[in-house]
Amino acid sequence: MDVWDAGILGIIQGLTEFLPVSSSGHLELGKAILGDDSLPKESLLLTVILHFATALSTIVIFRKDIADILKGLVSFQWNEQTQFSLKIIISMIPAALVGYFFESEMELLFGENLILVGFMLIFTALLLWLTDKAKATRKPVSYTNAFVIGVAQAIAILPGISRSGATIATSVLLGNDKPKAARFSFLMVIPLILGKIAKDIGSGEISTENANFMIYGIGFITAFISGLFACTWMISIVKKSKLKYFSIYCFVVGVGAIIFTQVNG
């Protein structure tokens, strides 16, 4: 992997982490197209770095929200911030359980499994199309909603299903306010990403031996900058109900991935 490959994968990660088009699916497609033959430990290190970059961009965009939540928590009162934090914790449970008990099984679904990616992108396209047709409401996310949205996030571990698309779509289809659904979707993933990064680092499977930090640095910078752009853009897209364009995109790319697999199989 060279600097250009890392930069391209960083941009893919940064954009697709927030835009409803599946970051895992596009990274698999990107690696296949670029012919990425990195060693597993090297690839894992890059993945961790790219995910940390997008988590950091989320923290930057929502820094005021996060600061308000932390201030509310340290007051040790049953306030709005405490209730929101509890909803975030509830939403994390399904994905945390899947990650803990079925991590090895889930890993088998990755590794250029482009047929699965293609069909899951088509499924994402359907979700986005339905979401775009949903009526606008002012309903906030409830505790029950938080758990159901968490289940959607757990399912979105599958490569090709957009995490942001699945969680925002589920929230909106449950009747929640669209901007609040987007805000909840982006904030709920921060603890999971940071927890996964800590787990990967603590596992000892990541190797920095012979690592080219210029390559990883380029990947980090491009993922962070494109993440800032995509996160801000996505909030605006959800407010304006423009998800149908991403629905069409996911459908086209999903069909393309299936055709690409058949032609090169």
Side-chain angles (χ1 to χ4, degrees):
M1 180 181 297
D2 58 25
V3 171
W4 289 106
D5 291 344
I8 291 171
L9 292 176
I11 292 172
I12 292 173
Q13 170 65 25
L15 293 177
T16 59
E17 179 66 34
F18 301 103
L19 299 180
V21 294
S22 176
S23 60
S24 59
H26 277 71
L27 279 176
E28 292 300 312
L29 288 169
K31 289 178 181 179
I33 293 171
L34 292 172
D36 178 27
D37 57 355
S38 303
L39 293 172
K41 290 185 178 181
E42 180 185 0
S43 187
L44 178 59
L45 177 58
L46 179 64
T47 299
V48 168
I49 290 172
L50 296 185
H51 276 91
F52 178 70
T54 49
L56 186 60
S57 63
T58 310
I59 292 170
V60 170
I61 294 294
F62 290 99
R63 59 190 181 280
K64 292 183 179 179
D65 298 79
I66 295 171
D68 288 341
I69 291 170
L70 294 176
K71 288 178 182 177
L73 287 175
V74 297
S75 67
F76 300 104
Q77 297 178 0
W78 187 246
N79 50 33
E80 182 181 347
Q81 292 82 5
T82 303
Q83 294 174 45
F84 185 84
S85 299
L86 180 57
K87 292 173 185 178
I88 292 291
I89 293 172
I90 291 172
S91 74
M92 291 167 53
I93 294 173
L97 290 175
V98 170
Y100 184 80
F101 290 106
F102 302 103
E103 182 178 19
S104 57
E105 288 81 0
M106 295 303 297
E107 287 177 352
L108 295 175
L109 298 175
F110 290 82
E112 299 185 15
N113 191 351
L114 298 189
I115 285 287
L116 176 63
V117 170
F119 281 110
M120 292 302 98
L121 279 169
I122 293 172
F123 176 74
T124 296
L126 176 61
L127 267 182
L128 297 177
W129 187 268
L130 293 173
T131 303
D132 215 46
K133 301 299 180 183
K135 294 181 179 179
T137 70
R138 294 184 177 274
K139 177 184 172 184
V141 176
S142 67
Y143 293 104
T144 303
N145 290 164
F147 183 79
V148 176
I149 296 167
V151 172
Q153 178 167 248
I155 295 173
I157 294 174
L158 292 169
I161 297 184
S162 165
R163 191 210 63 82
S164 63
T167 52
I168 292 173
T170 300
S171 184
V172 171
L173 292 174
L174 287 171
N176 295 311
D177 176 76
K178 290 183 178 181
K180 289 179 180 177
R183 174 177 176 264
F184 188 82
S185 171
F186 292 142
L187 288 174
M188 70 187 281
V189 76
I190 295 175
L192 280 177
I193 291 178
L194 296 179
K196 180 64 167 62
I197 290 172
K199 183 177 181 296
D200 288 338
I201 293 174
S203 68
E205 295 180 4
I206 297 178
S207 174
T208 58
E209 186 178 353
N210 299 322
N212 188 326
F213 289 102
M214 178 178 290
I215 290 178
Y216 294 129
I218 292 296
F220 176 88
I221 292 170
T222 55
F224 176 72
I225 294 175
S226 57
L228 291 174
F229 166 76
C231 186
T232 305
W233 188 25
M234 184 59 185
I235 295 170
S236 174
I237 289 169
V238 175
K239 287 180 180 178
K240 297 177 181 178
S241 296
K242 299 293 184 181
L243 292 174
K244 61 184 178 183
Y245 300 111
F246 290 96
S247 173
I248 295 170
Y249 172 83
C250 285
F251 180 81
V252 171
V253 175
V255 172
I258 295 171
I259 294 173
F260 179 84
T261 304
Q262 298 302 310
V263 171
N264 293 273

